[in-house]
Amino acid sequence: MLYLVGLGLSDETDITVKGLEIAKTASRVYLEAYTSILLVDQAVLESYYGRSVTIADREMVESNSDEILRDADKEDVAFLVVGDPFGATTHTDLVLRARELGIPVRSVPNASIMSGIGAAGLQLYNFGQTVSMVFFTEGWRPSSFYDRVKENRDIGLHTLVLLDIKVKEQSLENMARGRLIYEPPRYMTVGQCASQMLEVEEDRKEGVYGPDSLAIGAARVGGRTEKFVAGTLKELCEQDEVLGSPLHSLVLLGKRTHELEHDFVREFAVDRDNWDRIWKADYQGQ
Amino acid sequence: MLYLVGLGLSDETDITVKGLEIAKTASRVYLEAYTSILLVDQAVLESYYGRSVTIADREMVESNSDEILRDADKEDVAFLVVGDPFGATTHTDLVLRARELGIPVRSVPNASIMSGIGAAGLQLYNFGQTVSMVFFTEGWRPSSFYDRVKENRDIGLHTLVLLDIKVKEQSLENMARGRLIYEPPRYMTVGQCASQMLEVEEDRKEGVYGPDSLAIGAARVGGRTEKFVAGTLKELCEQDEVLGSPLHSLVLLGKRTHELEHDFVREFAVDRDNWDRIWKADYQGQ
């Protein structure tokens, strides 16, 4: 059996009891470690499960999935995924490959950022499609997210923006020389995301949102040091220190809001008077 | 401290290790049992936690929350919620009340149907807003869900439809006579939901979907007997026996689909030829 086991969002104790049993007893355990990360290290997980864990990087999962699936028709293999196993496309591929090989698959769900973000106080019913934000470079500033945010905003819905992480990256020079030297991991912050969003609005000028649009910055959702900061996109450009260490996410508010959402989120506002003023003018009763 | 603890979707072992520790050691434990249910009884949970658990019905949570919060500034109170604690509005109220009373709150996330539905093979990124379907009665057939499905469909997105459950309901007669006798619980099936959706389309005639629109029926998501059936809405009117016992949910497909979604979901189709034909004609590359 191939078990896809969700690890939840934060530390080693966010695994479910059912998932932990599988992680302890499976023949082999892989940890998918490139679409998201836990806030604890591999060593912590290994000590918690009482066994070694193999890191499965993108290359392994995408090009060498048969190694992961080896003998899984006869024994149990656990593939651990941060959050919920079905958050990312890659794992769909793995399941399809297992099916081709006649390997039974079972998944153990867990918290995903897509539901965990509810802790910020916005109603999950009022979220539209989720978008991703990648690190912009000089020549590459993809703005397809902007069209999707526009679709959500046009019908009043909130948008969860998932932020890029870069792990096991090679510099161009090291790649050219074939040196397996990796750059330190990078995690996009709420401030970087808010700035990039405002840059794209300045380019596209369709008025999908602006510096005074309300948003929530989220850090370490589901963890003991979970932190939310609410404010305008402009305000959120400058809140990275308050938010602290990774992972960060951002929610851009839609205008179809509920009074309870106002009351709940206001607690996190950088500037409550400003929050109330903009809410009243642009969001309330829209 | 007030702990809001997610129980996940299926049985007693879907709680996280962190959540279990809280359920075992808190001074008092409440179980919210009216917006969703686990697939196991209260007695199983009590034996698993090694303690008694108080059922918190809607009346208690909405009208008597101060009893739940009593002394939570000095001791730990656990409020257990099926799925993730922030799936339903009611719990937002409870947190706001705790804040008023100066009681610290912490939540322990878990799988929600809103992310768990990813196991059906549709990309979570491609879901629009979630809607709810209530049991229609002679005089009450609310169709606001239809407008929201339309908004999602207009931009090509999938829609998760959450199905009504009725627990601790009184008959009108018993209510009138003040008799605290409750009807047996009722859980809407995929077949009932699909029929009601088609009824509303026949009334409203805006062509938001029709008998040949593709959908997925889901039963016991995240459980050992999880079951998905894919087909047209018309086909899904007749699949309740295949799907089996509660809880059920339904996903209406949007037209912005990915080939991987086709390959993954096809496995669950009532009639694969029909599925392929409609997919190719109406969904692929839209």
Side-chain angles (χ1 to χ4, degrees):
Chain A
M1 177 84 76
L2 169 68
Y3 284 98
L4 302 175
V5 179
L7 296 184
L9 296 168
S10 161
D11 66 36
E12 71 280 12
T13 64
D14 286 323
I15 195 169
T16 65
V17 175
K18 189 182 283 173
L20 180 59
E21 187 60 27
I22 294 164
K24 283 183 168 173
T25 59
S27 300
R28 300 193 309 283
V29 176
Y30 297 92
L31 171 65
E32 189 272 84
Y34 60 93
T35 57
S36 189
I37 54 150
L38 275 190
L39 309 177
V40 295
D41 290 334
Q42 177 184 1
V44 173
L45 296 183
E46 291 186 326
S47 141
Y48 197 65
Y49 307 152
R51 64 180 304 157
S52 70
V53 165
T54 305
I55 296 289
D57 59 19
R58 187 182 296 272
E59 197 199 326
M60 183 177 206
V61 179
E62 293 183 356
S63 314
N64 199 12
S65 59
D66 283 6
E67 169 53 25
I68 296 172
L69 297 172
R70 178 172 50 82
D71 297 330
D73 51 338
K74 300 188 286 283
E75 52 193 34
D76 290 339
V77 173
F79 185 76
L80 312 183
V81 180
V82 175
D84 184 81
F86 287 99
T89 321
T90 309
H91 314 131
T92 312
D93 272 329
L94 188 65
V95 173
L96 287 172
R97 181 63 185 147
R99 280 192 196 158
E100 281 172 19
L101 297 171
I103 294 168
V105 180
R106 192 169 285 170
S107 67
V108 181
N110 207 324
S112 154
I113 184 65
M114 294 197 192
S115 49
I117 194 64
L122 298 174
Q123 298 302 316
L124 290 175
Y125 284 82
N126 293 338
F127 279 74
Q129 59 199 313
T130 300
V131 304
S132 298
M133 177 71 76
V134 300
F135 284 111
F136 286 179
T137 61
E138 195 107 343
W140 195 59
R141 294 157 35 116
S143 67
S144 61
F145 78 87
Y146 185 82
D147 302 300
R148 307 211 155 181
V149 171
K150 181 176 193 314
E151 290 171 340
N152 287 343
R153 296 271 292 178
D154 280 349
I155 50 177
L157 300 176
H158 308 314
T159 306
L160 171 62
V161 188
L162 299 178
L163 310 191
D164 206 2
I165 73 172
K166 293 282 186 196
V167 293
K168 227 178 163 187
E169 261 193 316
Q170 286 172 284
S171 67
L172 285 175
E173 192 190 338
N174 283 327
M175 202 185 291
R177 298 183 182 220
R179 292 189 296 220
L180 294 178
I181 298 172
Y182 301 106
E183 302 299 303
R186 291 190 298 148
Y187 307 100
M188 187 183 287
T189 64
V190 162
Q192 291 168 319
C193 175
S195 303
Q196 291 192 176
M197 287 176 72
L198 291 175
E199 261 182 55
V200 170
E201 176 58 55
E202 274 186 31
D203 281 0
R204 302 273 300 259
K205 292 190 175 55
E206 298 173 37
V208 171
Y209 51 78
D212 282 340
S213 296
L214 297 181
I216 302 174
R220 301 172 306 286
V221 171
R224 287 175 211 277
T225 61
E226 176 178 83
K227 177 87 187 167
F228 298 111
V229 175
T232 63
L233 279 178
K234 197 173 147 199
E235 285 168 342
L236 290 184
C237 289
E238 308 293 338
Q239 296 299 313
D240 285 349
E241 259 181 61
V242 177
L243 282 161
S245 57
L247 298 176
H248 288 190
S249 317
L250 183 145
V251 182
L252 184 70
L253 268 68
K255 299 208 168 184
R256 190 189 292 170
T257 50
H258 189 284
E259 202 51 32
L260 271 180
E261 296 182 309
H262 171 267
D263 297 349
F264 199 109
V265 180
R266 181 178 192 273
E267 173 103 355
F268 308 129
V270 179
D271 175 339
R272 292 188 188 168
D273 291 340
N274 201 36
W275 178 267
D276 289 345
R277 188 181 57 76
I278 295 176
W279 185 283
K280 205 170 161 185
D282 295 343
Y283 290 78
Q284 189 170 288
Q286 299 282 323
Chain B
M1 177 85 74
L2 170 68
Y3 284 99
L4 302 175
V5 179
L7 297 185
L9 295 169
S10 164
D11 66 35
E12 72 279 13
T13 64
D14 287 322
I15 195 169
T16 65
V17 175
K18 191 182 282 173
L20 181 59
E21 187 59 27
I22 294 164
K24 283 183 168 172
T25 57
S27 300
R28 298 194 308 282
V29 175
Y30 296 92
L31 171 64
E32 190 271 86
Y34 60 92
T35 57
S36 188
I37 54 150
L38 275 190
L39 309 177
V40 295
D41 290 334
Q42 176 184 3
V44 173
L45 296 184
E46 291 186 326
S47 139
Y48 197 67
Y49 307 151
R51 63 179 306 156
S52 70
V53 165
T54 304
I55 296 289
D57 59 19
R58 187 182 296 273
E59 196 199 328
M60 183 176 204
V61 179
E62 293 183 355
S63 314
N64 199 12
S65 59
D66 283 6
E67 169 53 25
I68 296 172
L69 297 172
R70 178 172 50 82
D71 297 330
D73 51 338
K74 299 188 287 281
E75 54 194 33
D76 291 339
V77 173
F79 185 76
L80 312 182
V81 180
V82 175
D84 185 81
F86 287 100
T89 322
T90 308
H91 315 131
T92 313
D93 273 330
L94 188 65
V95 173
L96 287 172
R97 180 64 185 147
R99 280 192 195 159
E100 281 172 18
L101 297 171
I103 294 168
V105 180
R106 192 169 284 169
S107 67
V108 181
N110 206 324
S112 154
I113 184 66
M114 295 197 191
S115 50
I117 194 65
L122 299 173
Q123 298 302 316
L124 290 176
Y125 284 83
N126 293 338
F127 278 74
Q129 59 198 315
T130 300
V131 304
S132 298
M133 178 70 77
V134 299
F135 283 111
F136 286 179
T137 61
E138 194 107 345
W140 195 59
R141 296 159 32 119
S143 68
S144 61
F145 78 88
Y146 185 83
D147 302 299
R148 307 211 156 184
V149 171
K150 181 175 194 313
E151 290 171 340
N152 287 343
R153 297 270 293 179
D154 281 348
I155 51 178
L157 300 177
H158 308 314
T159 306
L160 170 63
V161 187
L162 300 179
L163 310 192
D164 206 1
I165 73 172
K166 293 284 187 195
V167 292
K168 228 181 162 183
E169 262 192 314
Q170 286 171 284
S171 67
L172 284 176
E173 193 190 338
N174 282 328
M175 203 184 292
R177 297 184 183 222
R179 292 190 295 221
L180 293 179
I181 299 172
Y182 301 105
E183 302 299 303
R186 292 190 298 149
Y187 307 100
M188 187 182 287
T189 64
V190 162
Q192 290 169 320
C193 174
S195 304
Q196 291 191 177
M197 286 175 73
L198 290 175
E199 261 182 55
V200 170
E201 177 58 55
E202 274 187 29
D203 281 359
R204 302 273 301 258
K205 293 189 173 52
E206 297 173 37
V208 170
Y209 51 78
D212 282 340
S213 296
L214 297 181
I216 303 175
R220 301 172 305 285
V221 171
R224 287 175 209 276
T225 61
E226 177 178 82
K227 178 87 187 166
F228 298 111
V229 175
T232 63
L233 278 179
K234 198 174 148 198
E235 285 168 342
L236 290 184
C237 288
E238 309 294 336
Q239 296 298 313
D240 285 349
E241 259 181 60
V242 178
L243 282 161
S245 57
L247 297 177
H248 288 191
S249 316
L250 184 145
V251 182
L252 183 71
L253 268 67
K255 300 210 167 181
R256 189 189 291 169
T257 50
H258 189 285
E259 202 51 34
L260 271 180
E261 296 182 309
H262 171 267
D263 297 349
F264 198 110
V265 180
R266 182 178 192 275
E267 173 105 355
F268 309 129
V270 179
D271 175 340
R272 290 188 189 168
D273 291 340
N274 201 36
W275 178 267
D276 288 346
R277 189 180 56 75
I278 296 176
W279 184 282
K280 206 170 160 185
D282 295 342
Y283 290 79
Q284 190 170 288
Q286 300 281 322

